[in-house]
Amino acid sequence: MADGGTKTSFDIATVAGLAIGFALVIAAIVLGGSPGAFIDIPSVLIVIGGTAAITAVCFALGEFLGAGKVLMRTIFHRSRNPADAALQILQLAEIARKGGVLSLQGHLDSLQSEEYLWKGLSLVVDGTPPEEVEAIMRKDMNATIGRHQKGANIMKKAGDIAPAMGLIGTLIGLVQMLGNLDDPSSIGPSMAVALLTTFYGAVLANMVFMPLAAKLERNSGEEELLNSVYMVGAVSIGRQENPRRLEMLINSILPPSKRVSYFD
């Protein structure tokens, strides 16, 4: 049987992309000769604090507090090559074809790392009708997709709010500046707040929140594809269909570069 399973891997692209992006911005600031001018506590409070507060308003408290776990899923991502999963399913289908569905009982323990596949095949071995197996697995998959989408929505909402908070900070700075035109010493600090809040908001939205939302959606799509392969395989095995037909069904799901030729 094909070995390997879903593995938690460190996503170097996410970390390296963020690090390089911020390094380039910091380098441009330092080369400009005045890095201290880009540090302003009121601007930080307005943008970061305001973005966190307003994002919390948009979601339930538990969802918002779980944003940290959502972020970790972009760095430590559980993934598996769908072609390997397809080969594993086809091998299991051959075993069930030759020895009957109950012959899979001895293979369930080795599938513990693939919780979704293990659940589907356990239902099949227990004699659950294929239609019911498909309904249960599809409901489970849709619930998982919904949880992932909620995490991406939190990042997207924060990405929408951050520039708006930057604009609010800009307006505050301009009002302060225009209200103290008779005091030249106050014009500089007010202008700093006005400009830096816009800068902070743009950086957070376009270099942190929106890229992380895109990565979460990408990871969710990858997991959905993998679970679709598992669902089709479990249902086909439950129906005791020919594994060759299952191979065609799976290849209709997989992208061209991931399709398998198990029986050739």
Side-chain angles (χ1 to χ4, degrees), residues 33-72:
S34 56
F38 286 84
I39 300 175
D40 185 79
I41 300 303
S43 298
V44 172
L45 294 176
I46 291 171
V47 176
I48 297 181
T51 299
I54 303 305
T55 302
V57 173
C58 301
F59 299 92
L61 181 61
E63 295 170 353
F64 177 74
L65 294 178
K69 295 180 180 179
V70 171
L71 292 177
M72 293 304 296

Side-chain angles (χ1 to χ4, degrees), residues 14-159:
T14 300
V15 176
L18 289 172
I20 293 173
F22 276 98
L24 291 173
V25 172
I26 293 172
I29 292 173
V30 172
L31 292 175
S34 56
F38 286 84
I39 300 175
D40 185 79
I41 300 303
S43 298
V44 172
L45 294 176
I46 291 171
V47 176
I48 297 181
T51 299
I54 303 305
T55 302
V57 173
C58 301
F59 299 92
L61 181 61
E63 295 170 353
F64 177 74
L65 294 178
K69 295 180 180 179
V70 171
L71 292 177
M72 293 304 296
R73 284 204 296 268
T74 65
I75 300 175
F76 297 97
H77 174 53
R78 300 182 72 248
S79 62
R80 187 185 186 187
N81 188 334
D84 293 340
L87 292 175
Q88 182 184 33
I89 285 290
L90 292 170
Q91 289 173 350
L92 291 169
E94 267 202 309
I95 293 172
R97 180 77 170 179
K98 294 176 182 178
V101 171
L102 291 179
S103 64
L104 296 177
Q105 181 72 51
H107 297 275
L108 290 179
D109 289 341
S110 64
L111 301 176
Q112 292 290 339
S113 62
E114 302 292 341
E115 183 178 354
Y116 189 74
L117 175 60
W118 176 85
K119 180 178 180 179
L121 290 182
S122 295
L123 290 170
V124 170
V125 171
D126 290 342
T128 306
E131 294 77 13
E132 188 174 340
V133 173
E134 182 176 9
I136 293 172
M137 294 186 74
R138 189 175 298 280
K139 184 177 181 179
D140 194 358
M141 182 170 64
N142 290 338
T144 300
I145 293 171
R147 289 195 300 270
H148 292 174
Q149 188 59 49
K150 191 170 293 182
N153 288 341
I154 292 175
M155 294 295 104
K156 284 183 177 180
K157 181 58 67 175

Side-chain angles (χ1 to χ4, degrees), residues 18 23 33 88 98 139 144 200 235 247-248 257 260:
L18 289 172
Q88 182 184 33
K98 294 176 182 178
K139 184 177 181 179
T144 300
Y200 290 158
V235 173
E247 182 184 57
M248 290 187 292
S257 62
V260 297

